[in-house]
């Protein structure tokens, strides 16, 4: 089993940090369905934005039910160290450094996966953060900057030598964004090059794929991101399969309804009655992707502004679905 500092994970399945997705409500759901760890969406290391409503929503670490892993992003070693300290003060159990995000607005500030071009800066940031806090520090990277520069093994060695306690690797380069297929050869090479726990990430969409990736790479754990959008029960399916080799049946429509209503209500509570319904729209779109393939209900739902009205519309939709 995976150990991160003093924390023993209950299984090998982790929920990836996703900006705008893995908020408190979503993390609680994923943990309930079996994710051993659910990493927060990234927080900027820039202290000027910490008091914004968006950051404040992301910083309620103490209400968390499980191990609180908080991801920070930035490119200035001193700022990153200060951000790590601040988040530990407000309840983080683990600090995760983001060097994996390929988003343009993150990379143009030389954060996220843009940092992989500058191994010396990577080393400076990691060492500053590790020195600044007493909790374990983990790192999330991609396999490199672009397919011609897959320097994941070099970065992994720097991470290990600088005190990182677990390393998550997405099987694409920054240039690949989310296109094409994830490759696992680099993750396998990283696992062979370092002795710290390695977590494989990228295109893990089914229990069978989870097992395959673990076997192929030799990784200590897997991390699921986009496949959990609208499908938090994937953690239950994967953990069950890894433990028993048996596939669980998909959840019944009634259970999907219950999960989705709870999720939407949680978003209303977290973000308030104005912003909550807007944020709920993308999640509802993901949950209903296969049931509402033409998107007819989704376009109706996206026009609803009121929280209560959203819940009524969802109940009506499932009532009609059950009748057919």
């Amino acid at each position: 089993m995976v150990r991160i500092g003093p924390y023993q994970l209950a299984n090998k399945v982790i929920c990836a940090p996703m900006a705008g997705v893995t908020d408190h409500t979503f993390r609680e759901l994923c943990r309930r369905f079996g994710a051993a760890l659910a990493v927060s969406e990234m927080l900027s290391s820039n202290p000027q934005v910490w008091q914004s409503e968006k950051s404040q929503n992301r910083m309620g670490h103490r209400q968390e039910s499980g191990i609180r892993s908080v991801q920070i992003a930035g490119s200035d070693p001193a700022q990153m160290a200060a951000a790590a300290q601040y988040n530990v003060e407000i309840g983080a159990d683990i600090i995760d450094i983001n060097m994996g995000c390929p988003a343009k607005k993150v990379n143009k500030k030389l954060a996220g996966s843009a940092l992989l071009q500058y191994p010396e800066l990577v080393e400076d940031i990691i060492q500053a953060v590790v020195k600044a806090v007493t909790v374990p520090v983990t790192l999330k990277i991609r396999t490199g900057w672009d397919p011609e520069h897959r320097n994941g093994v070099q970065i992994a060695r720097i991470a290990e030598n600088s005190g990182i306690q677990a390393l998550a690797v997405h099987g694409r380069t920054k240039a690949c964004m989310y296109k094409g297929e994830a490759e696992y050869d680099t993750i396998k090479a990283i696992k062979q090059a370092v002795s710290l726990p390695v977590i494989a990430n990228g295109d893990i969409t089914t229990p069978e794929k989870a097992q395959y990736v673990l076997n192929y790479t030799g990784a200590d754990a897997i991390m699921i991101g986009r496949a959990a959008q609208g499908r938090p029960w994937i953690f239950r399916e994967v953990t069950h399969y890894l433990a028993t080799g048996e596939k669980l049946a998909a959840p019944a429509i009634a259970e999907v309804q219950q999960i989705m209503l709870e999720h939407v209500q949680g978003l209303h509570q977290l973000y308030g009655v104005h912003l909550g319904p807007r944020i709920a729209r993308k999640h509802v779109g993901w949950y209903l992707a296969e049931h509402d393939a033409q998107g007819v209900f989704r376009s109706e739902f996206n026009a609803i502004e009121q929280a209560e009205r959203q819940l009524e519309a969802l109940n009506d939709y499932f009532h009609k679905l059950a009748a057919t």
Side-chain angles (χ1 to χ4, degrees):
M1 281 299 168
V2 186
R3 261 197 105 71
I4 302 175
Y7 302 107
Q8 174 80 53
L9 301 193
N11 59 55
K12 298 180 174 189
V13 190
I14 296 170
C15 175
M18 292 176 278
V21 180
T22 51
D23 55 27
H24 176 75
T25 307
F26 189 78
R27 293 195 302 274
E28 290 291 311
L29 264 181
C30 293
R31 265 196 294 271
R32 196 171 87 209
F33 282 108
L37 191 66
V39 186
S40 77
E41 48 188 334
M42 65 181 167
L43 285 157
S44 170
S45 60
N46 177 1
Q48 292 172 334
V49 302
W50 292 349
Q51 297 313 314
S52 71
E53 192 180 350
K54 191 176 186 180
S55 290
Q56 286 297 309
N57 252 331
R58 291 181 179 186
M59 285 178 164
H61 310 326
R62 293 198 193 281
Q63 298 90 322
E64 206 88 355
S65 65
I67 303 163
R68 300 181 287 245
S69 176
V70 175
Q71 191 181 71
I72 57 173
S75 56
D76 179 270
Q79 268 197 353
M80 288 288 278
Q85 284 174 329
Y86 178 67
N87 280 286
V88 170
E89 278 163 26
I90 60 171
D93 296 321
I94 294 171
I95 293 292
D96 185 56
I97 300 174
N98 180 325
M99 294 189 187
C101 178
K104 200 179 270 179
K105 72 174 185 183
V106 175
N107 279 253
K108 74 171 189 234
K109 293 179 183 153
L110 195 65
S113 53
L115 288 163
L116 300 176
Q117 298 168 98
Y118 308 100
E120 286 169 11
L121 180 55
V122 167
E123 187 169 35
D124 289 345
I125 290 170
I126 294 171
Q127 288 180 353
V129 173
V130 168
K131 204 167 133 189
V133 293
T134 54
V135 303
V137 179
T138 58
L139 176 67
K140 184 157 196 268
I141 64 169
R142 286 186 164 227
T143 53
W145 173 247
D146 63 29
E148 286 68 55
H149 302 95
R150 285 200 175 101
N151 62 340
V153 170
Q154 180 196 8
I155 299 290
R157 288 198 172 115
I158 290 169
E160 181 169 48
N161 294 335
S162 302
I164 287 295
Q165 301 209 23
L167 177 69
V169 187
H170 183 112
R172 287 181 173 84
T173 67
K174 187 268 167 208
C176 298
M177 297 293 287
Y178 294 99
K179 296 192 287 284
E181 289 184 14
E183 58 91 12
Y184 305 113
D185 289 328
T186 308
I187 302 177
K188 184 178 187 173
I190 287 170
K191 177 60 197 162
Q192 288 167 354
V194 295
S195 60
L196 78 175
V198 172
I199 301 153
N201 174 225
D203 294 356
I204 299 169
T205 52
T206 63
E208 294 91 336
K209 187 76 178 277
Q211 185 71 72
Y212 166 79
V213 171
L214 281 169
N215 293 349
Y216 185 80
T217 61
D220 302 275
I222 50 125
M223 185 175 259
I224 296 175
R226 289 172 297 156
Q229 294 174 351
R231 232 178 112 200
W233 52 84
I234 190 171
F235 296 101
R236 175 174 72 187
E237 294 173 349
V238 172
T239 50
H240 182 82
Y241 185 82
L242 293 180
T244 66
E246 294 167 5
K247 285 196 73 172
L248 283 176
I253 281 291
E255 191 186 5
V256 174
Q257 175 182 5
Q258 180 205 338
I259 295 162
M260 192 158 97
L261 285 169
E262 186 186 324
H263 192 166
V264 170
Q265 280 173 308
L267 293 171
H268 294 164
Q269 282 166 354
L270 183 63
Y271 294 102
V273 291
H274 177 63
L275 193 55
R278 294 181 170 200
I279 289 171
R281 290 170 187 165
K282 64 184 170 195
H283 289 280
V284 168
W286 291 326
Y287 276 107
L288 298 181
E290 59 182 277
H291 300 295
D292 180 37
Q294 307 301 314
V296 178
F297 172 74
R298 218 168 329 160
S299 54
E300 289 170 20
F301 184 82
N302 288 351
I304 301 170
E305 299 279 350
Q306 303 79 17
E308 279 306 309
R309 194 53 211 97
Q310 276 194 335
L311 298 172
E312 284 167 19
L314 287 170
N315 276 318
D316 288 348
Y317 174 81
F318 278 101
H319 188 68
K320 285 175 188 156
L321 202 61
T324 56

